[in-house]
């Protein structure tokens, strides 16, 4: 998709489709008013027929309006004009792109950035437009034998700004939005790939490829022998039932000053989670190919920030395994020693995410981090608590949590904080080891974070549970690319 910034009157734009807003009840936006006057009240007359009121979700496609140089005009419902919220703006843009997709238009000119969005500026409106368009046009066709190539007709979008002096802002917003969209779409691609293709070795190869193409990224991959030397007994216990060897990937992005402490992002990379000997029920088990969405979000974030050339040091750490049952798999009750020296009684082999993350978190100490954020499809309990709208957030440092929450708020990729109180810690006591890997039925998301908190005492740390947000089920099944937008925004904000 190609984006450009322009300014000028709507009636003069020679395009396949103009996109303009219509508020409730049948109130024309500024661009729509101009079109109305230039067409001798064509819009006013049409609106009298009552085909559209202006509610969000509505749209009306008009052809060959007299006096208008473009062949189509898409009127898009924008709801109430006063106090238009960020989430409404996002909906309006999504609806416009989805409607444009159904037309024959290969390019369009949008006046939607003229809408006044509560507490958001020109940069935000344009960047969101770019990110949302890419997202709405995303397709995963690479494994179909026919129609492998994209079927999208829409190729070019012109985003109108009020004046020439807005060009620089607009162009920056397009650049940043495109970089973030690239990261999101990489995360979605990796996640949507099935587990017979996207194995731990495949992810390691993708990282090496990234390291070869991007000069600012240094990639290292540890194999099982190297991990054994480091004492990663917990991580290795998860992969021992699988024929796929575990890998520990590090991607060091060096955009900041030499010696500046990095932010470390740790992504859960379980390429398939059968549950192991504590095997999962078969219904919807295919979705456990998405158990590497944390890893995918780290790949996506590193890609986006390196595209943007963000002046910051960031390390992506991806522990990646396949969780399978088998003759050599962990039995419930087995005890392992983690890299930290702490011992773990594995009461449920399906609580494997924390077992790989704990060693990756200990490993992260070597980068002398300013903050560590792990991202994981960690608990079904998080889906029950927050559904698909918010990721779960837990942290040992409130200012860090606040920065992440704010980044989520500004990108629409939101998180909600849960408590990490000491009172919950006793739920993972074990009579035989330093801790158990499960904490009972109550507060499953919190006890999972309690487990991780025992490996993150040496740094500021936040944990993002994306079990509910990383992919959609049902008709729109597929990876979302979340929380790449939130993570990139957090890193952008750190640079300012
Ligand atoms: N990957 C799953 C969590 C999950 C389940 C994410 C369903 C999204 C949808 C994780 O490894 C897991 O199995 N967690 C268990 C933990 C339990 C055994 C303490 C869970 O949530 O049931
Ligand atoms: Mn599991
Ligand atoms: Zn899992």
């Amino acid at each position: 998709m190609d984006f450009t910034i322009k300014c000028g009157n709507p009636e003069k734009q020679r395009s396949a489709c103009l996109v303009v807003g219509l508020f409730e009840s049948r109130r024309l936006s500024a661009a729509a008013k101009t079109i109305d006057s230039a067409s001798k009240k064509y819009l006013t007359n049409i609106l009298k027929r009552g085909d559209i009121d202006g509610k969000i979700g509505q749209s009306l496609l008009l052809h060959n309006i007299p006096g208008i140089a473009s062949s189509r005009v898409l009127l898009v419902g924008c709801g109430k004009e006063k106090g238009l919220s960020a989430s409404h703006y996002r909906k309006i843009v999504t609806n416009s792109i989805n409607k444009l997709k159904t037309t024959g238009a290969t390019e369009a000119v949008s006046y939607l950035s003229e809408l006044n969005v509560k507490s958001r500026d020109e940069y935000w409106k344009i960047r969101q437009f770019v990110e949302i368009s890419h997202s709405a046009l995303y397709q995963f066709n690479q494994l179909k034998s026919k129609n492998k190539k994209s079927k999208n007709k829409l190729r070019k979008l012109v985003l109108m700004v009020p004046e020439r002096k807005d060009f620089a802002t607009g162009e920056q917003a397009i650049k940043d939005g495109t970089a973030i969209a690239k990261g999101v779409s990489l995360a979605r691609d990796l996640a949507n790939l099935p587990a017979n293709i996207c194995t731990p070795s495949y992810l390691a190869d993708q990282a090496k490829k990234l390291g070869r193409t991007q000069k600012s990224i240094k990639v290292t991959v540890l194999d099982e022998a190297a991990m054994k030397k480091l004492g990663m007994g917990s991580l290795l216990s998860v992969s021992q039932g699988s024929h796929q060897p575990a890998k520990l990937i590090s991607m060091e992005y060096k955009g900041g000053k030499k010696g500046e402490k990095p932010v470390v992002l740790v992504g859960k990379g379980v390429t398939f989670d059968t549950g192991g000997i504590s095997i999962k029920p078969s219904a919807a088990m295919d979705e456990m190919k998405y158990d590497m969405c944390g890893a995918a979000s780290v790949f996506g974030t590193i890609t986006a920030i390196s595209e943007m050339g963000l002046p910051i040091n960031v390390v992506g750490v991806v522990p990646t395994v396949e969780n399978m049952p088998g003759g050599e798999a962990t039995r419930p009750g087995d005890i392992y020693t983690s890299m930290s020296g702490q011992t773990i009684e594995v009461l449920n082999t399906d609580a494997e995410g924390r077992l790989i993350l704990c060693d990756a978190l200990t490993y992260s100490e070597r980068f002398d981090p300013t903050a560590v954020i792990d991202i994981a499809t960690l608990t079904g309990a998080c889906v029950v608590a927050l559904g698909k709208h918010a990721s779960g957030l837990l942290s040992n440092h409130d200012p860090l949590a606040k920065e992440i929450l704010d980044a989520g708020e500004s990108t629409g990729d939101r998180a909600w904080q849960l408590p990490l109180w000491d009172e919950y810690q006793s739920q993972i006591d074990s009579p035989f080891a330093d801790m158990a890997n499960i904490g009972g039925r109550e507060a499953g998301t919190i006890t999972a974070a309690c487990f991780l908190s025992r490996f993150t005492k040496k740094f500021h740390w936040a944990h993002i549970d994306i079990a509910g947000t990383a992919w959609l089920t049902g008709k729109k099944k597929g990876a979302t690319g979340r929380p790449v937008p939130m993570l990139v925004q957090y890193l952008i904000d750190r640079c300012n």
Side-chain angles (χ1 to χ4, degrees):
M1 176 64 68
D2 181 35
F3 289 93
T4 39
I5 296 288
K6 220 177 144 181
C7 68
N9 289 345
E11 73 279 10
K12 299 210 178 95
Q13 306 304 316
R14 207 166 279 287
S15 147
C17 190
L18 293 178
V19 182
V20 299
L22 177 72
F23 298 107
E24 271 173 55
S25 309
R26 301 186 217 161
R27 285 165 48 88
L28 300 171
S29 62
K33 267 182 204 152
T34 316
I35 292 171
D36 197 41
S37 329
S39 63
K40 304 200 174 100
K41 304 261 173 222
Y42 189 88
L43 296 185
T44 305
N45 286 327
I46 291 268
L47 289 175
K48 275 187 196 144
R49 295 180 193 162
D51 292 7
I52 181 171
D53 180 64
K55 287 196 176 61
I56 290 179
Q58 293 181 324
S59 63
L60 185 66
L61 185 66
L62 303 167
H63 292 263
N64 304 332
I65 301 182
I68 305 301
S70 291
S71 43
R72 302 177 188 80
V73 170
L74 179 63
L75 276 180
V76 185
C78 294
K80 300 218 168 63
E81 182 169 9
K82 269 213 186 108
L84 179 65
S85 69
S87 80
H88 280 161
Y89 175 79
R90 296 171 54 84
K91 273 199 190 127
I92 294 163
V93 175
T94 309
N95 293 340
S96 312
I97 302 296
N98 285 338
K99 189 72 200 176
L100 277 175
K101 274 202 287 195
T102 69
T103 72
T106 55
E107 40 86 29
V109 172
S110 163
Y111 279 86
L112 293 178
S113 36
E114 74 174 6
L115 300 174
N116 278 318
V117 184
K118 221 168 30 184
S119 356
R120 307 292 159 138
D121 55 16
E122 210 66 32
Y123 170 84
W124 183 89
K125 286 188 279 185
I126 291 170
R127 201 183 95 189
Q128 284 288 318
F129 198 107
V130 174
E131 290 180 45
I132 292 167
S133 319
H134 277 288
S135 237
L137 295 167
Y138 174 86
Q139 295 176 319
F140 186 79
N141 292 334
Q142 48 178 290
L143 298 176
K144 301 213 164 143
S145 61
K146 291 180 196 108
N147 307 325
K148 272 193 184 202
K149 287 260 160 62
S150 152
K151 279 174 281 181
N152 287 322
K153 277 177 258 145
L154 196 58
R155 295 260 161 63
K156 182 174 154 66
L157 283 164
V158 179
L159 307 180
M160 302 304 279
V161 292
E163 292 176 68
R164 298 194 136 265
K165 71 168 174 44
D166 301 308
F167 280 14
T169 309
E171 270 146 25
Q172 189 61 46
I174 289 180
K175 254 192 175 166
D176 294 350
T178 305
I180 295 166
K182 193 168 170 192
V184 167
S185 130
L186 172 67
R188 294 174 81 173
D189 279 348
L190 288 173
N192 284 329
L193 281 171
N196 63 319
I197 295 174
C198 185
T199 60
S201 303
Y202 179 90
L203 284 179
D205 289 344
Q206 293 307 301
K208 285 182 196 154
K209 205 171 100 190
L210 202 61
R212 279 196 301 271
T213 53
Q214 305 275 344
K215 272 207 192 88
S216 52
I217 304 175
K218 186 185 134 195
V219 173
T220 19
V221 177
L222 299 189
D223 61 11
E224 291 188 340
M227 287 188 266
K228 199 165 174 198
K229 257 194 201 148
L230 290 168
M232 297 188 167
S234 183
L235 188 157
L236 290 170
S237 78
V238 179
S239 65
Q240 69 192 28
S242 167
H243 292 295
Q244 297 294 335
K247 304 280 173 191
L248 183 67
I249 304 165
S250 307
M251 296 173 272
E252 295 171 66
Y253 168 73
K254 294 171 185 177
K257 290 196 196 80
K258 225 182 151 194
E260 198 175 83
K261 292 183 172 199
V263 171
V264 177
L265 304 175
V266 180
K268 172 179 173 183
V270 176
T271 57
F272 198 81
D273 182 11
T274 63
I277 297 299
S278 315
I279 200 159
K280 286 183 180 294
S282 50
M285 208 208 273
D286 65 290
E287 289 178 21
M288 282 299 114
K289 73 174 183 180
Y290 289 123
D291 213 16
M292 38 60 74
C293 282
S297 77
V298 172
F299 276 85
T301 302
I302 298 270
T303 300
I305 62 171
S306 94
E307 286 282 316
M308 293 167 76
L310 218 56
I312 188 171
N313 293 331
V314 178
V315 184
V317 174
V318 171
T320 174
V321 300
E322 185 182 58
N323 187 20
M324 296 287 265
E328 286 186 284
T330 300
R331 293 152 286 258
D334 287 358
I335 295 177
Y336 293 98
T337 304
S338 65
M339 184 182 177
S340 73
Q342 300 177 92
T343 58
I344 302 158
E345 185 186 14
V346 180
L347 289 176
N348 188 321
T349 63
D350 197 10
E352 84 298 340
R354 62 199 80 182
L355 296 176
I356 67 168
L357 288 171
C358 70
D359 279 341
L361 287 164
T362 304
Y363 180 77
S364 300
E365 285 172 17
R366 71 182 48 211
F367 299 108
D368 190 21
T370 171
V372 178
I373 302 172
D374 78 73
I375 309 101
T377 47
L378 205 61
T379 62
C382 192
V383 191
V384 176
L386 300 173
K388 62 183 169 192
H389 303 294
S391 303
L393 174 69
L394 298 103
S395 174
N396 64 9
H397 188 62
D398 265 333
L400 172 62
K402 171 96 181 17
E403 288 168 40
I404 295 170
L405 291 171
D406 287 348
E409 204 55 58
S410 85
T411 52
D413 178 11
R414 292 190 287 184
W416 190 258
Q417 195 175 1
L418 299 172
L420 191 60
W421 297 328
D422 277 342
E423 283 83 346
Y424 292 99
Q425 288 283 351
S426 61
Q427 282 181 240
I428 55 171
D429 285 350
S430 156
F432 303 115
D434 296 341
M435 69 195 89
N437 78 327
I438 52 170
R441 217 175 55 85
E442 295 170 8
T445 304
I446 299 174
T447 53
C450 283
F451 181 96
L452 299 177
S453 76
R454 297 176 181 212
F455 302 84
T456 58
K457 296 230 159 80
K458 294 188 182 153
F459 41 72
H460 293 159
W461 158 75
H463 159 64
I464 305 174
D465 195 328
I466 56 168
T469 52
W471 75 92
L472 299 175
T473 55
K475 247 206 269 172
K476 288 186 186 167
K477 186 161 168 183
T480 60
R482 290 177 71 180
V484 171
M486 172 168 70
L487 291 170
V488 175
Q489 188 61 46
Y490 161 77
L491 295 169
I492 292 174
D493 292 343
R494 273 196 77 101
C495 293
N496 300 327

